[in-house]
Each structure stands twice: as structure tokens, then as C-alpha cells.
Amino acid sequence: MNCSALLSLILMLVQVWPCSPSTQTHSAQNTDQSFTAVRRVKRGWVWEPLFATEEQTSMVPVYVGQLKSDLDKQDGNLKYILTGEGAGSIFIIEENSGKIYVTQKLDREKKAFYTLRAQAINRSTQLPVEPESEFIIKVRDVNDHEPQFLDGPYVATVPEMSPEGTSVTQVTATDGDDPSYGNSARLLYSLIQGQPYFSVEPKTGVIRMASQMDRETKDQYLVIIQAKDMVGQTGAFSATATVTINLSDINDNPPKFQQRLYYMSVSEEAPVGTTVGKVFAEDSDIGENAAMNYFIEGDSSDVFDIITNNETQEGIILLKKRVDYESKRRYSIRAKVVNRYIDDHFLKEGPFEDKTIIKINVEDADEPPVFTLENYVMEIAEGAMSGSLVGVVTARDPDDDDCPVRYSIVHGMHLKRLFSINEHNGTIITTKPLDREIASWHNITVTATETRNAEKISEANVYIQVLDVNDHAPEFPKYYETFVCENAVSGQLIQSISAVDQDDSAEGHHFYFSLAQEATNNSHFTVKDNQDNTAGIFTAKSGFRRQEQFSFYLPILILDNGTPPLTSTNTLTITVCDCDTEVNTFYCRYGAFMYAMGLSTEALVAVLACILILLVAALDLAVNVSLQEGQCAFQIFCDCHRLSEPGHFVICTYGTEDQANYITALSRPSKNVTAEIHSLYRQSLQVGPDSTIFRQFISEKLEEANTDPSAPPYDSLQTYAFEGTGSSAGSLSSLGSHTSDADQSYDYLTDWGPPFKQLAGMYTSHRSGGD
């Protein structure tokens, strides 16, 4: 090697990196074993990679290595200079020899390497004899960190009875040392506590089941795991973690009854649904694995039932059917309990159910009387005399001593007036005849009471049907208004009739119609039975004259099919009408009435008009007449007069006691009745007010009617309203009204009392804008 061309940096090897952990020693023990180097040559420099071991003492500088140039002749002419990270503080160099020392304690976990630069300078010329070169000093790791379980303490759960080798959980420790150098960060796991139930894999920290365990024996275990670095060698650091392992429940235990035999009792008075007692089966499992259902086996399930209380897991025995001490005093039932949810893995271990026997004694009680039937149905014919037998009810005391009972009828005094009961033997009789047409059924309630204990009462319903007796003859269902025209022809149907019967026919009613015996030989009409409970009335001759006979009375015989059959005679009134082709029933009805009264048709029209106007006038009076001292002070009166001769004249007066209005139905009178008209006129003046003006008014109207050549040849109706002078009520007719209803106040109508309540409402609403 050319000494002038190369500057050699010689790194003295003071420590050889151990080949195995067993040969590793701390650098503080031998400062000559601090570095290893691989020889490299660059330009004139010769150096080898440098390593400084961490944790070396800083009390005395520790030799790291030496720099040397080939141009160094050991005459002190060269000076070595060190620059870069930590130069002069952490690392120092002897400028004459080029030896490098570390003066401080290093920590690899804080800084793993340092970058430095080296120079060789001629002292005389102060010029570098080698180019400046950069090199790295690496900090070599030592085992100065303990392992740590960052996620501890651990909690894990595993099902009970899990097979050996089942993974429970995994624990993991960390080490701050360099995992790429030596064994400082290589960990080894071991089980400190938990044998023989658990094991741990040394390298992975996976905890596994080492044997099957029963939760019902012990449900929780505390396991301690240790982690050691340097693969567990002597002098290694270690740490521990605790793992709480819980065993979860599985359904591996069947339910078991606490007793093989249970004793219970129930009173015969107990109602359905009464709790008789409770049974309980234990299950070592928990949660839904301990859920169970209870059952009753055999015939006893008809009388008793069992349900499960899901909160307490008890079986509750209930009364499903009333028990009777006198009939059966003891029951023996078999109860079974079964797990609600079965784990198929454990079926081979046996059935997950259990059975027990329950003996139930029936306790005697003082029971109320018992009727032989809950409901009685009896029959009696209507019309049966008082004291007739209806039926018998029977009740007895179910207890052994068979106490006598007393009967009575309750629920309604009207029933007691119809029926009575023998309190000793339960015989029901009538107290008065019954009428099926009034009531066909009677419902009564009969009680039976113990004679020695009045609190023991039972009830039974008795339904009494009143059987029908044919005691009502058939009759017309309504009043028939029958009319026949004067020009009717023989054989013409004028009326269809039917019949009704209040009796109840089991086979259905059938009625037979015929003329009564007194009308068969001399009748203008015939009856035809249609054989369907109807009949037709036909004319037996042609032509009728109203003037000769305006009505006929036709007796009709109606026969029913009862046993025995009953008949009745119903009279049909037939009115003769003056008509062409069709009957005007309204005209005929009132025409017949006027004929019966001796009035003509024209007079009838006048009277009807008078009635209509009177109604209107009465309403007008009720609204307009003022009140004195809050009471109605008027009376409405009407006086109508009729002339019976041709040329009719009708005058009606209405009004208050001191006022009168006149309605005249006028036609042109004949000369021979003029005197009668004037006589009637004088009578009308007598009922009216004593007023010259009023008399003159009527005279003028009568004269106009008598002398008017254009008057129609039939009766006409004219209305004249005149109140006279000084009337406080104003006009009683709309003919002379000059004010509207809207101008008047009708508030006073509300004070007239109930008869005028509706009228007050109508006029008040009209005034306020109503219809």
C-alpha cells in the first residue's frame, strides 16, 4: 500500500460479537471488547464499521476505536479531527493517535446510530492530507427492557365441559429491546397458576383447556401467565398477567323435583282457577338452560291443570273443574317437568325430565242447594184458571246431612202476581189467568235456600210458555173506505179485503169469507173468497143512485181454522159516489159526510174555505194581539150561517170579543131568497161592532154581489176583513196590512207560556233573518 496515497484508519477490535447468548458479556466488564469491524478501504482512509454498546458507564471514557492514515509516520506531524453528531460531547478523539472514546451513556431505544466525519491535517501546513470522509457509529442493543402485558388483566369465557385443547384466549407481551439483534426481545410464555385445568403455548401465548370442567362445580378460575425475554435464559427480564376465565353454562343437567311426593288440599267451594298448590324442580343450570315446563299426566288433567311461573320456575297447580266432596274426596295426579331447551349433545346422558306424585284431598264445605236443572221450561194453556199447575222445580242440599230447602220466586213483583211457588216442594201455580196475546213467555227466577243457613242460596231460571187457545175471532186488519160509482156495472171489483187473528196457529192461519146470512138474499154486492186469506167485494147489479141511497152496510162473515173455529161478522161500509170512470176518494168521502149532514157540495166548499181562513186568522191573531198583564186576552169565535134553498149564501164571522171579521161565501141569489139573505145580513150585524161604517161596508158588498151581471153561475168565496176603528191590534188580515213582519217585534211571544213556544221560535228566527 502506498503510504503517501492512502490514509489508513485502523479500528481496533476490542470486543467480538458473541456467537450465542451464552457468550454475551457486558462491555463494562472488558473495555477491549467494545467493537467489531469489517475492514473497508476508501480513498486513503482505512476504517472498519464502528459499534458502541448502550448502557456503558459514563464515569470513564470508553474506548471505541482508532483512526489512522497511511501517511502518519508517528512523528506527531498529523492531527486527527472528529466532527458530526455527538462529536466533542458524546464522542471524543485523541488528535495525535486518532483514538475515539464515548463519554456518555447511550440508549439505543432513543438513538440507534450516529453519523460522524473524520479529517487528518498536517500540523505544519494546516492542510488536510486526506479528503474528509463520513462514517457511522451504531449503538449496539443490550437487554435493558422488561416485557410488558399492555392489554392485561384479561377476562375470557369458555363453555363448560369444553374438550381438552379448546382455545380460551391469547395473551401478548411486548419488549422494548431490538428484536433484530440477539435474544433481548425474544419472549417465552409459561403458566404460573392454572394447572391442571389450563395450558399455554410458549411462543404464542394461546391459553387452552387442559381438561373438561363443570360449571356447577366451579364457574371461575384465575390463571397467571409469565412472559420472559432472552427466551427464558438466566438473567432475563420477566412480567406476569392475570387471566380470569369464566365457564359459561350449557344445558347438561336435567331438572329434579325437590320431593317425590306432594300433599295438597282444596275446598269443594273453590271456584275454577283456584291455586291448589305449588311444586318446584331444581336445575343446576342457569338462564334459559334452567327453563322448564310442567305437565300433568293421565285423567287428572280434566280436573287439575299446571302452569309454569317463568320467574320462579315453579309449577302452579290450578283447579280446572269444580270438585265435589260427596262425589270424590281424594285425587292422585302425576306431574312431569321437562327442560324447555334440550342440548342434543347431552341426550345420551339420560332424559332431561323428572316426575313426581301429587295427592290432593277435597275438603268438605257447606254448599248451597243444587237444582236438578239449571234451566226449566214449562208450558201452560192461556186462560187456565187461577191455581193451575205450571210445573215443579227441585233442589237438594248436596252435603251429607241433606238440609231441607225453601223455595221462592224473585225478580219482579208482576211475576209474583201471576205465579206463586210452594216454598216446601217447589210447585209453581198460576195466580190469575194468562193471556198469550199479552205475553207468550214468562221468565222467572226461583231460589232455593237452606233452612239452617240463609246465606246458602241457589238460583234457577224457569221459562214458562203460554200455549195458545183459539179465543180470538178473526177481524178486518183495518177500516176499509169502500166506494162505488153510480155508473158501476155488475160484477165490478170495488174492494179487496183480508183478515187478522191475534191467536197463534201452529199450522198457519186460514180464513174463510162469506156474506152474513141476513145479507145473502137481498144484497147489491157479493163476496168472493180467494182461498188465500183474502176476498174480493163485487157489485151484484148495475147502476146506483146516490140520491136514493148514498151508503150500504155489508155484513161479512169471517171464519178461522182454529179448534174450535171462531167466526166474526165485520161490517163493510160502501159509499156511493157521483163519478164518471174513477172514484175520487177525497171528494166521495166528504160528499158522503155532507149528504149525511144535509149540506150541498157548494156549501161544503164554503165551509172548508171558512175553516182554512179561520186557521190563518188564528195564527195572525196569536202574533199580533197585544197582551195585558202577561195573559192572552182574546177568544176566537166563528158563527156560520147557511141557506138551505138554491142560491146559497154563507156568512162566517171571526175575531175577538169586541171585533169581528166577516167571511162571505156568495153566489147570485134567486129572487125568492132575497128576504132570507137580508135577514141573515141583519143577524150578522148583531154579532159585529155597532158601527155605521161597518154596516155600510157590508151593505155595499152584498149589493155588489146581488147586482153583478158578471158573477159566475156557481158559488164563489170572497173574504172581507174589517176591524172597525180604534183597534189596538191593527189589521187582523193581510189584505189591509201596510207593515211587514220585519217591522214588528215578537219578543213578547216568549212570555206567553208553553203553548206559544214553537210560534215564538218561528217568529223570532224570522225576525233575525231565518226562513
Side-chain angles (χ1 to χ4, degrees), residues 54-55 107-109 141-147 175-177 184 229 237:
E54 67 172 337
E55 300 295 338
D107 189 350
R108 186 198 65 83
E109 283 69 38
D141 182 49
V142 295
N143 189 20
D144 57 348
H145 286 82
E146 297 178 353
D175 195 313
D177 294 321
S184 298
D229 60 9
F237 295 114

Side-chain angles (χ1 to χ4, degrees), residues 185-250:
R186 295 181 62 185
L187 304 178
L188 193 68
Y189 299 95
S190 61
L191 193 65
I192 302 299
Q193 178 179 310
Q195 301 90 349
Y197 310 110
F198 303 96
S199 63
V200 62
E201 293 183 354
K203 293 183 178 180
T204 63
V206 174
I207 302 174
R208 298 185 181 276
M209 300 286 291
S211 63
Q212 286 188 331
M213 287 172 287
D214 188 3
R215 187 200 64 82
E216 287 71 36
T217 302
K218 185 177 181 180
D219 61 354
Q220 189 178 79
Y221 293 84
L222 185 64
V223 177
I224 299 178
I225 303 295
Q226 183 186 66
K228 224 175 190 182
D229 60 9
M230 295 185 65
V231 292
Q233 293 181 8
T234 304
F237 295 114
S238 64
T240 59
T242 59
V243 183
T244 301
I245 300 177
N246 297 308
L247 297 183
S248 61
D249 184 59
I250 62 174

Side-chain angles (χ1 to χ4, degrees), residues 287-344:
E288 69 175 19
N289 294 323
M292 60 191 74
N293 291 326
Y294 294 89
F295 302 94
I296 289 181
E297 297 181 318
D299 298 336
S300 299
S301 59
D302 294 336
V303 182
F304 299 97
D305 195 9
I306 188 170
I307 61 174
T308 303
N309 186 326
N310 292 324
E311 294 183 359
T312 64
Q313 294 299 318
E314 292 176 313
I316 302 174
I317 310 296
L318 301 177
L319 188 61
K320 189 176 180 181
K321 182 180 178 182
R322 292 286 296 267
V323 293
D324 184 15
Y325 174 82
E326 288 71 29
S327 299
K328 190 173 182 178
R329 303 183 179 184
R330 188 173 294 104
Y331 291 86
S332 180
I333 62 177
R334 295 187 302 275
K336 181 174 70 172
V337 62
V338 180
N339 265 140
R340 192 174 301 168
Y341 307 104
I342 304 297
D343 192 334
D344 295 338

Side-chain angles (χ1 to χ4, degrees), residues 529-546:
D529 194 331
N530 298 325
Q531 301 298 318
D532 61 354
N533 291 341
T534 64
I537 309 300
F538 294 85
T539 57
K541 72 167 192 171
S542 298
F544 295 85
R545 287 186 59 79
R546 177 173 60 171

Side-chain angles (χ1 to χ4, degrees), residues 513-520 523 525-527 537 554-557:
F513 301 88
S514 62
L515 283 176
Q517 185 66 34
E518 63 268 21
T520 55
S523 176
F525 305 95
T526 61
V527 177
I537 309 300
L554 189 64
I556 298 176
L557 186 69

Side-chain angles (χ1 to χ4, degrees), residues 20 24 92 122 193 195 212 291 313 417 438 459 607 659:
S20 64
Q24 184 178 5
I92 59 175
N122 188 295
Q193 178 179 310
Q195 301 90 349
Q212 286 188 331
Q313 294 299 318
R417 290 194 294 267
I438 296 178
E459 293 183 352
V607 171
Q659 300 173 4

